[in-house]
Amino acid sequence: GAGVSQSPSNKVTEKGKDVELRCDPISGHTALYWYRQSLGQGLEFLIYFQGNSAPDKSGLPSDRFSAERTGGSVSTLTIQRTQQEDSAVYLCASSLSPSAAGELFFGEGSRLTVL
Amino acid sequence: AQTVTQSQPEMSVQEAETVTLSCTYDTSESDYYLFWYKQPPSRQMILVIRQEAYKQQNATENRFSVNFQKAAKSFSLKISDSQLGDAAMYFCASIFAPGAGSYQLTFGKGTKLSVIP
């Protein structure tokens, strides 16, 4: 597609359930990022994928969070046993890394609400 | 620690007027890039403007320009001839040490800009 596509746009779940958020980056973009945006906060880095290299998972807040990127394209962020503090907008971005450091193309995000 | 600070949670401007959004940062690195991103209600972040620290000339993109004061570690965004479509959250961000392979953007907490017709 022309831009970064994320699904679902909105997700409401019950505490303790698992959720999967999907990101389809711009074709040809080798770098993929996940950020979390909580109410009233800036963006918090979660994880970074670059080509076939091992991902940088240093931003994942707990072991309930995991992400994978299949075939260097689509990525899935999984949150297990969701907690209310996981409620946030999860933003995915891609870029023509490394030459375009910081020039990210973002999706519209997935808003997660944990009841 | 490397930080980006936006001290104005909310700002407003009359349509067609000029507004300046403030941003300061703290780093010991000499190599860094600075950015302003816009997030409209659609939630999709859009890059507005980029400035490399080694460049003395302030970046400009149409109605958007920056005032980069390296010694003061200040990076403000000026929006001229404000339009209704400029209403959004604006985030200041930085990559510190991109030449060393750094890729994480550090974001400020944002400034919500309202444009009054």
Side-chain angles (χ1 to χ4, degrees):
Chain A
V4 177
S5 178
Q6 290 189 248
S7 61
S9 179
N10 291 283
K11 175 73 175 179
V12 180
T13 191
E14 293 180 347
K15 177 181 174 181
K17 295 287 181 67
D18 297 352
V19 296
E20 285 189 352
L21 308 176
R22 176 189 167 102
C23 173
D24 196 347
I26 293 173
S27 177
H29 281 195
T30 59
L32 187 147
Y33 306 73
W34 283 97
Y35 282 85
R36 178 167 70 176
Q37 184 176 21
S38 303
L39 187 64
Q41 301 295 314
L43 275 71
E44 173 189 7
F45 168 79
L46 296 178
I47 190 168
Y48 166 74
F49 296 90
Q50 169 56 43
N52 295 321
S53 301
D56 176 357
K57 304 179 181 180
S58 61
L60 295 178
S62 77
D63 59 8
R64 296 186 296 104
F65 288 72
S66 63
E68 63 177 17
R69 188 178 184 190
T70 54
S73 181
V74 173
S75 177
T76 302
L77 176 68
T78 301
I79 309 173
Q80 296 179 311
R81 304 180 304 281
T82 52
Q83 304 294 312
Q84 289 183 333
E85 59 262 30
D86 299 334
S87 296
V89 175
Y90 290 83
L91 293 167
C92 177
S94 67
S95 75
L96 283 169
S97 184
S99 60
E103 294 186 16
L104 271 55
F105 294 80
F106 283 85
E108 294 188 353
S110 293
R111 181 182 297 280
L112 175 65
T113 303
V114 182
L115 301 177
Chain B
Q2 294 159 334
T3 59
V4 176
T5 303
Q6 293 177 251
S7 58
Q8 305 154 314
E10 295 188 25
M11 294 276 289
S12 62
V13 62
Q14 290 285 145
E15 194 174 4
E17 297 295 309
T18 295
V19 64
T20 298
L21 308 183
S22 300
C23 173
T24 58
Y25 58 93
D26 189 21
T27 181
S28 57
E29 299 285 349
S30 59
D31 175 29
Y32 52 90
Y33 299 159
L34 297 164
F35 306 86
W36 279 97
Y37 276 87
K38 170 185 177 181
Q39 186 180 39
S42 70
R43 297 198 308 237
Q44 186 174 27
M45 302 269 287
I46 303 165
L47 178 62
V48 174
I49 201 164
R50 161 185 165 144
Q51 173 84 42
E52 289 93 328
Y54 63 86
K55 290 186 177 179
Q56 293 186 341
Q57 186 172 6
N58 290 324
T60 298
E61 288 288 341
N62 300 314
R63 298 183 295 106
F64 299 86
S65 61
V66 299
N67 183 3
F68 176 41
Q69 300 290 327
K70 192 170 184 178
K73 295 182 179 176
S74 170
F75 182 63
S76 60
L77 175 70
K78 185 172 82 171
I79 305 174
S80 303
D81 185 26
S82 297
Q83 300 175 0
L84 295 178
D86 295 333
M89 283 289 289
Y90 286 82
F91 290 94
C92 180
S94 181
I95 281 189
F96 301 106
S102 178
Y103 44 77
Q104 281 190 35
L105 275 168
T106 299
F107 286 87
K109 292 189 176 183
T111 296
K112 182 178 181 181
L113 178 67
S114 300
V115 180
I116 304 165

